[in-house]
């Protein structure tokens, strides 16, 4: 229970930090969303103070002391109100987000799980058969790991989409279909997601492989593996149930931390494929000086990553009893 | 990447199963490593280009009427849509990317050593609060945060970008260094130094830091890779100002290089990033093997898996 309490407390602090950073950054540096809207709508005629005041109220710009603004901001967040988007004015930020979020969550989620499973399996085999051809693959994967996600996406798109014409060049679905739970749409969405997902898997699998392989090598020197061998157990059983089962623990813990990187990597990847997810929305928000949307996206990404981390931490306590005692 | 074994659970509790040799690092063995030689050669080459390159090629931004030409003897890597020479741009961009990588590496390493080693050695409330801060930074998604800050900050020089990237790049290393410092702190020789009345700063500088050196070097190399990659992503999103490989990719993407089939425009910058990254990773491999001798492939394999 102590472990659980510590974790919960930590994540509360982390959430508070994310929320507060999100509040402070624009106020410390610059930014009046009203000016942004006016610039965006090319409204050069001077605005009446009353009209301006009304707009400011809509965007929550006040001259209140900072702590009062902070409390108001927290209150809005609790009610799920992120304010109005500037570039999609007057659509609320939460609505813009709810349209782009599912694309990223599904595509990146599936790609991440695939790459973890693939990386851990290959890493296990590479560590087990150290010095064989499989192990010789490791330096090659280093090269893969050093490639920027989005560049790999560019090259894949050029080769498989452009030259061979196997995959669509952009977007997340065919515009002839209607978004919803129908087969033509789902089929086109899956078809469009294959290449972006493949580029994420290819670029991130190396890290998992390497970590698992190194851990496997360490674990195989443990006494209990030697004992298992001496007992004459089948090699396959030793590899999976004795060595890999213990070696996989850091990868499980690493999974949570890497999640943040995968989200980051997918932002640029989405640009390459014009994929209608959070990354595209983020870049569009930057280009249009849409600060409310920008902040909403950062907050949602942070909360998602924190939430996933929390779940993995809880799982970790179940898998590895030592964690529970250590706290 | 360097030490996944020491990167455990998020609150930085005592980490199970960390394998660390107590022997002194074998620097001499390191010099014989082929991986290290290859890595140093690659990184050294790009460093040289970064320093001397811009002096040797003509103005990379010079436009001409030779628009979007494929590679030829005249234009080694072809031209862009405005007739700029891709090879010249590639050479000039090397400086931006390498500079950001270097600065991020240095800054992130200094911060992580300060936070990790001091926290790990001091213990108590200092340690608690320092590791809380680094753990929070570790779980906040880096690139979105960097995008957010970069967009608010108006200056876009290479140094400003490097500073912002470093802001989110130090936490992982700090955790690794803290875990290792914790393990070193309870060694007999440190106890002996403490009992004999050595002051704390002396123990940290002369007893603990030298033993952390390979690990710090590995973390530095790791931070350089991270810096180059993050800068490339930022520049690709249009938020860079360093004139780097990422900037080239940004312009290539925005000029539809892909659909026009101009592979010579977007392939070389990415390849350079991957090459530098692979070179640095090779260096890290040899450092890893230095830190954890079990990772070395033995000359006569002690055990073989099922054939």
């Amino acid at each position: 229970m102590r472990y659980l309490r510590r974790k919960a407390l930590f994540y509360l602090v982390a959430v508070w930090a994310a929320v507060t950073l999100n509040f402070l950054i624009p106020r410390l540096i610059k930014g009046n969303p009203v000016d942004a809207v006016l610039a965006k709508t090319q409204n050069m005629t001077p605005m009446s103070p009353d009209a301006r005041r009304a707009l400011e109220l809509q965007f929550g710009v006040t001259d209140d002391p900072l702590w009062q603004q902070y409390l108001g901001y927290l209150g809005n967040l609790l009610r799920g109100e992120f304010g109005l988007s500037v570039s999609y004015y007057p659509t609320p930020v939460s609505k813009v987000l709810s349209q782009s979020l599912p694309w990223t969550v599904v595509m990146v989620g599936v790609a991440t799980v695939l790459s973890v499973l693939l990386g851990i399996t290959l890493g296990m085999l590479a560590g087990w058969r150290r010095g064989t051809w499989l192990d010789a693959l490791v330096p090659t994967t280093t090269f893969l790991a050093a490639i920027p996600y989005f560049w790999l996406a560019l090259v894949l798109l050029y080769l498989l989409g452009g030259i061979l014409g196997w995959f669509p060049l952009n977007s997340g679905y065919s515009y002839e279909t209607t978004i919803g739970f129908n087969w033509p749409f789902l089929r086109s969405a899956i078809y469009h997601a294959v290449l972006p997902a493949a580029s994420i898997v290819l670029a991130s699998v190396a890290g998992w492989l390497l970590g698992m392989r190194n851990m496997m090598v360490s674990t195989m020197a443990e006494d209990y593996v030697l004992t298992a061998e001496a007992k004459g157990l089948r090699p396959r059983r030793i590899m999976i149930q004795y060595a890999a089962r213990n070696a996989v623990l850091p990868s499980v813990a690493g999974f949570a931390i890497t999640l943040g990187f995968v989200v980051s990597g997918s932002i640029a990847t989405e640009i390459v494929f014009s994929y209608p997810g959070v990354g595209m929305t983020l870049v569009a928000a930057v280009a249009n000086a849409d600060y409310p949307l920008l902040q909403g996206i950062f907050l949602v990404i942070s909360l998602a990553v924190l939430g996933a981390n929390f779940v993995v931490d809880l799982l970790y306590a179940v898998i590895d009893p030592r964690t529970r005692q250590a706290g | 990447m360097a030490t996944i074994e020491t990167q455990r659970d998020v609150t930085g509790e005592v980490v199970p199963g960390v394998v660390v040799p107590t022997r002194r690092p074998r620097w001499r063995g390191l010099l014989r490593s082929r991986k290290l030689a290859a890595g140093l050669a690659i990184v050294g080459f790009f460093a040289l280009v970064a320093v001397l390159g811009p002096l040797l090629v003509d103005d990379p931004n010079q436009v001409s009427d030779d628009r979007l030409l494929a590679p030829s003897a005249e234009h080694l890597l072809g031209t862009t849509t405005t007739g700029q020479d891709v090879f010249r741009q590639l050479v000039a961009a090397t400086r931006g990317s390498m500079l950001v990588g270097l600065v991020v590496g240095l800054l992130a390493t200094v911060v992580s050593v300060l936070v990790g080693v001091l926290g790990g050695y001091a213990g108590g409330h200092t340690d608690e609060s320092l590791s809380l801060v680094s753990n929070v930074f570790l779980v906040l998604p880096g690139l979105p945060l960097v995008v957010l800050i970069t967009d608010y900050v108006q200056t876009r020089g290479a140094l400003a970008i490097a500073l912002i990237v470093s802001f989110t790049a130090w936490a992982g290393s700090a955790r690794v260094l803290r875990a290792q410092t914790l393990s070193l702190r309870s060694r007999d020789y440190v106890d002996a130094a403490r009992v004999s009345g050595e002051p704390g700063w002396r123990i940290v500088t002369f007893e603990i830091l030298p033993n952390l050196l390979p690990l710090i070097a590995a973390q530095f190399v790791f931070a350089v890779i991270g810096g180059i990659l993050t800068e490339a992503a930022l520049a690709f999103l249009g938020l860079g100002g360093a004139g780097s490989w990422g900037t080239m990719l940004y312009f290539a993407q925005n000029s539809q290089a892909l659909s026009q089939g101009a592979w010579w425009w977007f392939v070389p910058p990415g390849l350079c990033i991957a090459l530098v990254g692979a070179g640095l990773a090779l260096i890290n491999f040899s450092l890893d093997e230095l830190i954890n001798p079990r990772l070395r492939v033995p000359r006569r394999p002690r055990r073989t898996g099922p054939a």
Side-chain angles (χ1 to χ4, degrees):
Chain A
M1 268 341 269
R2 194 177 134 77
Y3 172 79
L4 203 69
R5 211 169 50 227
R6 270 184 74 107
K7 287 290 170 195
L9 196 71
F10 167 72
Y11 281 102
L12 277 180
V13 173
V15 166
W16 172 79
V19 165
T20 307
L21 269 178
N22 207 10
F23 170 79
L24 279 181
I25 291 171
R27 280 164 183 81
L28 283 181
I29 298 164
K30 70 147 193 224
N32 186 333
V34 176
D35 290 335
V37 171
L38 294 183
K40 168 119 179 99
T41 53
Q42 307 283 317
N43 194 343
M44 289 308 160
T45 50
M47 206 175 196
S48 76
D50 281 347
R52 195 187 161 85
R53 180 84 199 121
L55 258 186
E56 284 185 344
L57 277 179
Q58 261 191 330
F59 284 108
V61 179
T62 56
D63 297 326
D64 290 344
L66 207 59
W67 64 269
Q68 220 165 352
Q69 287 184 38
Y70 186 54
L71 288 183
Y73 163 82
L74 291 182
N76 280 340
L77 282 190
L78 284 180
R79 272 175 269 125
E81 286 170 24
F82 294 102
L84 299 180
S85 159
V86 174
S87 45
Y88 299 92
Y89 182 80
T91 318
V93 167
S94 47
K95 185 150 185 236
V96 179
L97 277 175
S98 66
Q99 280 163 1
S100 59
L101 210 55
W103 292 99
T104 302
V105 169
V106 174
M107 191 267 283
V108 175
V110 170
T112 311
V113 171
L114 277 182
S115 106
V116 172
L117 291 181
L118 199 67
I120 286 182
T121 313
L122 288 177
M124 177 182 77
L125 292 173
W128 181 249
R129 302 188 171 185
R130 197 143 61 104
T132 63
W133 64 272
L134 202 67
D135 203 28
L137 275 182
V138 171
T140 324
T141 57
T142 322
F143 185 70
L144 271 182
I147 294 178
Y149 283 50
F150 62 91
W151 184 73
L152 197 65
L154 271 173
V155 172
L156 280 185
L157 184 63
Y158 176 67
L159 292 177
L160 301 182
I163 293 187
L164 294 174
W166 290 351
F167 292 98
L169 283 176
N170 52 35
S171 178
Y173 60 101
S174 163
Y175 293 124
E176 289 147 22
T177 60
T178 41
I179 295 185
F181 213 74
N182 56 72
W183 179 236
F185 166 71
L186 287 179
R187 200 176 49 193
S188 90
I190 293 171
Y191 181 47
H192 280 77
V194 170
L195 216 46
S199 74
I200 293 180
V201 170
L202 258 181
S204 61
V205 75
W208 299 109
L209 195 160
L210 201 66
M212 183 65 187
R213 179 234 175 219
N214 285 357
M215 217 34 220
M216 196 68 185
V217 169
S218 292
T219 316
M220 271 161 44
E222 296 285 345
D223 290 340
Y224 54 78
V225 175
L226 197 69
T227 314
E229 263 180 355
K231 280 199 293 189
L233 294 180
R234 283 205 321 277
R236 201 185 139 81
R237 189 180 155 100
I238 301 174
M239 172 175 80
I240 295 174
Q241 305 231 338
Y242 286 73
R245 210 171 155 186
N246 285 290
V248 83
L249 288 174
S251 297
V252 174
F255 175 70
I257 292 168
T258 330
L259 218 62
F261 294 103
V262 177
V263 173
S264 304
S266 74
I267 293 177
T269 307
E270 283 182 13
I271 301 301
V272 172
F273 291 99
S274 307
Y275 200 77
V278 174
M280 274 280 277
T281 318
L282 178 71
V283 173
V286 168
N288 294 321
D290 190 344
Y291 297 118
L293 185 56
L294 203 57
Q295 285 179 282
I297 292 172
F298 173 72
L299 204 64
V300 166
I301 294 180
S302 313
L303 292 184
V305 172
L306 289 178
N309 269 287
F310 189 48
V311 172
V312 171
D313 266 357
L314 295 185
L315 274 181
Y316 198 62
V318 176
I319 314 174
D320 187 356
R322 284 175 298 187
T323 349
R324 269 171 285 169
Q325 286 155 9
Chain B
M1 185 196 285
T3 47
I4 189 136
E5 290 130 89
T6 43
Q7 285 182 358
R8 292 300 162 114
D9 89 83
V10 171
T11 50
E13 267 135 21
V14 177
V15 283
V18 180
V19 182
V20 179
T22 44
R23 261 176 301 167
R24 286 188 147 240
R26 291 201 208 133
W27 293 105
R28 215 179 296 153
L30 190 66
L31 291 177
R32 282 199 295 265
S33 155
R34 250 185 305 167
K35 277 180 196 161
L36 185 76
L40 283 179
I42 295 172
V43 177
F45 170 75
F46 278 102
L48 209 64
V49 173
V51 175
L52 299 178
L55 306 174
L56 301 179
V57 293
D58 296 328
D59 180 17
N61 296 320
Q62 191 184 30
V63 294
S64 70
D65 287 332
D66 305 337
R67 294 197 179 92
L68 218 57
L69 295 180
S72 62
E74 199 183 339
H75 299 287
L76 279 180
L77 289 173
T79 57
T80 70
T81 42
T82 49
Q84 294 161 326
D85 187 276
V86 175
F87 179 72
R88 285 188 214 160
Q89 291 206 319
L90 194 69
V91 171
T94 308
R95 182 175 279 183
S97 282
M98 296 294 280
L99 185 67
V100 172
L102 183 68
V103 175
V104 170
L106 286 175
L107 282 177
T109 308
V110 168
V111 174
S112 63
V113 168
L114 280 178
V115 172
V117 176
L118 285 188
Y121 184 76
H125 287 300
T126 321
D127 185 31
E128 290 265 322
S129 38
L130 284 180
S131 34
L132 184 68
V133 173
S134 40
N135 285 327
V136 167
F137 267 93
L138 200 61
V139 284
L140 288 179
L143 189 66
L145 183 60
V146 170
V147 168
L148 195 68
I149 301 175
T150 317
D151 190 43
Y152 283 117
V153 178
Q154 293 297 307
T155 45
R156 293 279 168 78
L159 282 178
I161 297 283
L163 208 68
I164 297 169
V165 174
S166 318
F167 182 65
T168 56
W170 56 271
S173 310
R175 260 173 62 87
V176 174
L177 289 174
R178 173 185 171 269
Q180 187 65 3
T181 309
L182 273 183
S183 123
L184 285 176
R185 193 179 61 158
S186 50
R187 298 281 162 87
D188 288 343
Y189 74 92
V190 177
D191 281 340
R194 203 175 296 130
V195 170
S196 70
E198 267 192 59
W201 64 267
R202 228 191 115 81
I203 296 180
V204 170
T205 359
F206 291 104
E207 313 288 355
I208 290 183
L209 273 185
N211 281 295
L212 282 176
L213 222 50
L215 196 57
I216 294 176
Q219 296 301 323
F220 168 74
V221 172
F222 192 42
V224 174
I225 303 179
I228 292 177
L229 284 177
T230 312
E231 193 280 331
L234 262 185
F236 181 68
L237 298 179
L239 289 165
S244 64
W245 291 321
T247 319
M248 287 179 72
L249 289 170
Y250 170 70
F251 283 115
Q253 166 84 356
N254 277 16
S255 314
Q256 318 291 329
L258 197 85
S259 52
Q260 299 190 49
W263 55 269
W264 57 87
W265 193 356
F266 63 84
V267 169
L271 264 187
C272 284
I273 298 175
L275 266 177
V276 172
L280 288 165
L282 281 175
I283 297 178
N284 240 356
F285 261 148
S286 24
L287 287 171
D288 250 3
E289 289 175 359
L290 182 81
I291 299 166
N292 187 352
R294 280 186 189 173
L295 294 180
R296 287 181 212 145
V297 176
R299 285 202 195 97
R300 258 180 309 133
R302 265 185 309 130
R303 56 177 300 127
T304 41

